[in-house]
Every structure is written in structure tokens, then in C-alpha cells.
Amino acid sequence: MKNILSILAVTAVFASNKITAQTPITDDIKSVNEVVTADNVEWGWLNPLRGDKSPAAGKLWGDRTKNEPAGFLVKFNKGFSSPPHIHNITYRGVVIKGLLHNDDENAEKQWLPAGSYWQQPAGEAHITAADGEENLAFLDIQEGPYLVKPTSEAFDNGERPINVDKTNLVWLNANDIQWVSEKSNVETAFLWGSHEKNQLRAALLKLPAGFNGKIKNLSPNFRAVVISGEVTHQFIKKDTKNDLQPGSYFGAEKNATSIISTTKETILYIRSNGDYEVE
């Protein structure tokens, strides 16, 4: 049975007294069928000016140094703590490994474990810290370039920071929404965006152990990142199968179908410009 996943989160309306910094709600770049496995990620420095004092950054899609949407991994050493700073654009993040803290420099540490979600508004002063033996996060930006700037340039773009521990995520299943089959045992946690036509939205999709099915993209832009667990992925049965560990990514063109199987419970971050089907 096919289940159309219409993400029902609602976007905020962004405004600023000092600067226009509205986060885009659409993405005109059409996605293509592509796979980046975790062991093939291209790594560099998140802030090249700081060299090895900066977290490492790994490209999944797009170019964070240009004015375009991008998705990338960020790797932090244990004990890392940034100086107070701002960013010129808003980003959203999901913790893949370790413990991360992202808040005002005077705030008590709120360590977010793997599976947690946060949003950092453009212009908001904050620090980022890490406390796990291994610390890895996925960041999603809707525009670029992704820059680090001093707090003297702080501004209010109308958005507010969000920190959601994984234990506070609300998971919906067939008892809550009609487009999830009881047999599939698939669950969804909405994160951000709007269900309006062609507007961006993102959710976590939880696939049970032993899931064997398909995800069909119905929108111009579909991107998925493995947050936890493990996925075996191929576009058609004749394609090579890819084992996707946490930190891996696959994109799909409109009407493309991904054949998915799992051996353990797996969580995907899915960002799209519209609907997709899980069967």
C-alpha cells in the first residue's frame, strides 16, 4: 500500500528590524539520482581561516561556500567549544554521534544526544560545544555562503533558536495519521517546513528493523541522510546495492524510486519540496 507523506509542519514568518534575512522556503535546484556513502564523503575545514582549530566539514550536496542550498556533515573533537559568534544564514542540524550544545554563551549546557534536532537563526549570537568521544552532526542550509562572523554583527531576523532533545520528538504512526500503513510500522517526526505546494519541509522517518520497501519521490527536490541504523539502497533492481551507514546521503530525481531495506531500526532525515510515497 502506498502512503503519501505530506509533511504537515508549519513554517515561521521571518522578519528583521535591521536586515532582511528571510530563510528561503523553496529550492529551485532539481535533485538527481545520487548516493554518497559515509566513507566517500569529501572532508575539509568548516572555517578554513581557523585551520585545525575548526571542526571538519564533509560535503553531501551543494556548496556551502556559494549562495545555494547545501547539506554537509560537521565533525567535532571532544571538548571543542567555539568562541561566541553568529552566522549570516539560518541552519538546521541533527546530531548523528556524540553530544552537542548550541546556545547563548551564558546558557547552562544542554547536551543534545544523537537523534536530537536544533535550529540556529541567522544573526543570533551563540557558541557550539561537543562532549562525546566522537561528535558528528548533519547541517542543512537553504542559502549560502555559510559564514562565521563576530557577535558585533549580531542581528534579529525574526526566527528563534530551537533545541529538541531526541526524547522530546513527537513520533506519529498509523494511530495518528492515515497515510501510514499499520503493516509498515513506519513512524514520522516533523521538524520544519510547510505542506504548501512546492515548499520545503523536513522530517525524520523511522524505519523498523527488517523493513523491505520503496520510497518514491514525487517532488522536484528530494534528499535523505542516514541519521542512525543502516540502509541498503538501490534505485532499480539491476543497480549496485549501497550499504549506507550514518552520515550517508542519497538524492532522487522526480518520480524516481529508491529500493530500501534495513536489518536494524533506522532513522532517515528527509528534506523535500513536496510529497513522497513509502510502500
Side-chain angles (χ1 to χ4, degrees):
M1 177 179 178
K2 294 183 177 180
N3 310 294
I4 298 179
L5 301 184
S6 299
I7 311 305
L8 301 178
V10 180
T11 55
V13 177
F14 309 124
S16 171
N17 295 327
K18 301 174 65 175
I19 188 170
T20 300
Q22 182 175 354
T23 302
I25 58 174
T26 60
D27 184 350
D28 296 329
I29 300 176
K30 293 182 179 180
S31 55
V32 298
N33 291 347
E34 60 182 345
V35 174
V36 177
T37 61
D39 55 0
N40 285 324
V41 172
E42 298 177 14
W43 289 94
W45 297 117
L46 184 63
N47 184 357
L49 294 178
R50 298 193 71 207
D52 60 6
K53 293 182 180 179
S54 167
K59 176 182 176 180
L60 296 182
W61 74 83
D63 186 339
R64 69 182 184 278
T65 68
K66 298 180 180 179
N67 186 17
E68 64 184 42
F72 51 98
L73 302 175
V74 182
K75 190 183 298 183
F76 304 87
N77 291 329
K78 179 178 175 61
F80 171 84
S81 185
S82 72
H85 63 283
I86 71 163
H87 298 287
N88 58 313
I89 50 90
T90 293
Y91 75 83
R92 282 106 175 189
V94 179
V95 184
I96 297 177
K97 294 180 182 179
L99 296 167
L100 293 180
H101 167 78
N102 197 83
D103 209 331
D104 180 88
E105 63 177 310
N106 297 315
E108 183 177 348
K109 292 292 191 296
Q110 179 186 347
W111 295 111
L112 296 176
S116 301
Y117 165 76
W118 84 97
Q119 173 177 304
Q120 182 58 49
E124 180 89 9
H126 65 287
I127 66 166
T128 302
D131 198 45
E133 292 300 325
E134 291 184 84
N135 302 282
L136 182 67
F138 160 71
L139 299 192
D140 188 342
I141 63 174
Q142 314 318 320
E143 59 185 334
Y146 174 95
L147 301 176
V148 178
K149 295 189 172 185
T151 56
S152 59
E153 298 184 32
F155 60 90
D156 183 355
N157 80 336
E159 297 175 311
R160 294 295 175 260
I162 299 171
N163 288 282
V164 183
D165 187 283
K166 71 172 185 178
T167 59
N168 289 328
L169 290 169
V170 178
W171 292 96
L172 304 178
N173 56 30
N175 294 322
D176 309 298
I177 44 181
Q178 58 184 338
W179 37 257
V180 172
S181 167
E182 292 184 14
K183 294 182 180 180
S184 72
N185 292 320
V186 172
E187 296 180 81
T188 297
F190 301 124
L191 298 182
W192 60 268
S194 170
H195 67 283
E196 295 295 328
K197 185 177 181 180
N198 295 328
Q199 291 192 12
L200 285 168
R201 74 289 303 270
L204 297 179
L205 192 69
K206 186 187 293 183
L207 306 175
F211 176 85
N212 288 284
K214 299 176 181 178
I215 301 178
K216 182 177 181 180
N217 172 37
L218 302 176
S219 75
N221 191 293
F222 175 98
R223 305 183 187 279
V225 178
V226 181
I227 302 301
S228 65
E230 181 181 359
V231 163
T232 299
H233 173 279
Q234 59 185 150
F235 284 110
I236 59 175
K237 291 184 178 180
K238 294 182 180 180
D239 278 352
T240 301
K241 293 182 179 180
N242 288 293
D243 292 325
L244 305 184
Q245 304 290 333
S248 300
Y249 152 73
F250 65 92
E253 63 187 24
K254 189 172 183 179
N255 295 321
T257 297
S258 293
I259 302 171
I260 299 290
S261 63
T262 66
T263 57
K264 61 180 74 172
E265 182 179 272
T266 298
I267 294 178
L268 303 178
Y269 173 96
I270 296 183
R271 169 194 184 276
S272 71
N273 260 37
D275 296 335
Y276 49 92
E277 296 176 345
V278 176
E279 59 179 79

